[in-house]
């Protein structure tokens, strides 16, 4: 039954402090950041906050001239923002499920569209998927997150983690690939035989190939990306 009095609805859905620290899942699709300083987040992900918090888009020279050119090539120069201050910040992204990972001197690559937030102790670097740039209309970049701290990523529905082991490569659809371990460098390939069945603009099936020892996280959903118009 989904019928409540106003008082019942408030009791059922109101914010609750769970004592989980810096990142806290209010629901599986809404992240609470207990902010006492700085957090990096996906631009546009703020849904509410209270306290004194200032928002600032990531500057084009934030990480040097090289990063500026990468951002220009990806068309995602304002994909991240900094939230600085004290209070509670609530983040979400299109109703996607949120996963909090605690990196311990580790690295992970995250699809640029699936990175929600991370602590300032995490170093981040945008990586362009050069080999796929001419094959897809968007989703051309990922972010390498490295260090010790919390990273929040998003997934449409329940994610699946696949182990990559030597001699047994894993192939994934780029539109369904959320993240992978920092030691893996995927290759891109096309399968012409799939062209009849796949509604891609290129008429080909584009696949990511992961080889080595690590993991890759996929979602049961093909996310479609759009390049920002200049």
């Amino acid at each position: 039954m989904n019928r409540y009095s106003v008082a019942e609805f408030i009791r059922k859905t109101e914010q609750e402090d769970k004592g989980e620290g810096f990142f806290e899942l209010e629901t599986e699709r809404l992240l609470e950041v207990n902010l006492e300083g700085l957090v990096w987040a996906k631009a546009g992900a703020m849904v509410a906050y209270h306290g004194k918090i200032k928002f600032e888009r990531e500057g084009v020279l934030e990480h040097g001239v090289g990063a500026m050119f990468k951002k220009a090539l990806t068309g995602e120069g304002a994909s991240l923002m900094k939230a600085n201050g004290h209070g509670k910040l609530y983040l979400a992204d299109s109703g996607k499920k949120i996963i909090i990972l605690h990196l311990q001197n580790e690295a992970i690559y995250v699809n640029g569209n699936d990175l929600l937030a991370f602590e300032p102790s995490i170093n981040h670097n945008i990586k362009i998927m050069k080999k796929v740039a001419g094959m897809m209309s968007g989703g051309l970049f990922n972010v390498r997150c490295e260090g010790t701290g919390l990273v929040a990523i998003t997934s449409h529905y329940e994610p699946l983690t696949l182990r990559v082991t030597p001699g047994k490569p894993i192939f994934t659809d780029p539109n369904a690939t959320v993240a992978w371990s920092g030691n893996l460098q995927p290759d891109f390939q096309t399968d012409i035989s799939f062209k009849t069945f796949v509604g891609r603009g290129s008429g080909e099936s584009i696949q990511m190939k992961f080889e080595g020892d690590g993991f890759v996280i996929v979602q049961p959903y093909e996310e479609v990306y759009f390049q920002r118009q200049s």
Side-chain angles (χ1 to χ4, degrees), residues 116-193:
L116 182 64
F118 53 93
E119 287 192 271
S121 59
I122 297 293
N123 294 318
H124 71 284
N125 188 19
I126 292 176
K127 302 287 186 179
I128 302 172
M129 300 181 186
K130 295 179 181 177
K131 293 184 180 180
V132 78
M135 305 176 192
M136 298 176 66
S137 61
L140 306 179
F141 76 107
N142 55 69
V143 183
R144 180 180 171 89
C145 296
E146 186 171 13
T148 297
L150 299 174
V151 177
I153 65 176
T154 59
S155 169
H156 283 281
Y157 311 108
E158 297 292 334
L160 173 68
T161 300
L162 300 171
R163 291 287 313 198
V164 182
T165 56
K168 294 183 178 180
I170 295 291
F171 299 85
T172 68
D173 184 324
N175 292 318
T177 305
V178 173
W180 57 93
S181 48
N183 61 310
L184 297 182
Q185 295 291 333
D187 284 325
F188 291 86
Q189 63 182 35
T190 59
D191 190 336
I192 307 299
S193 64

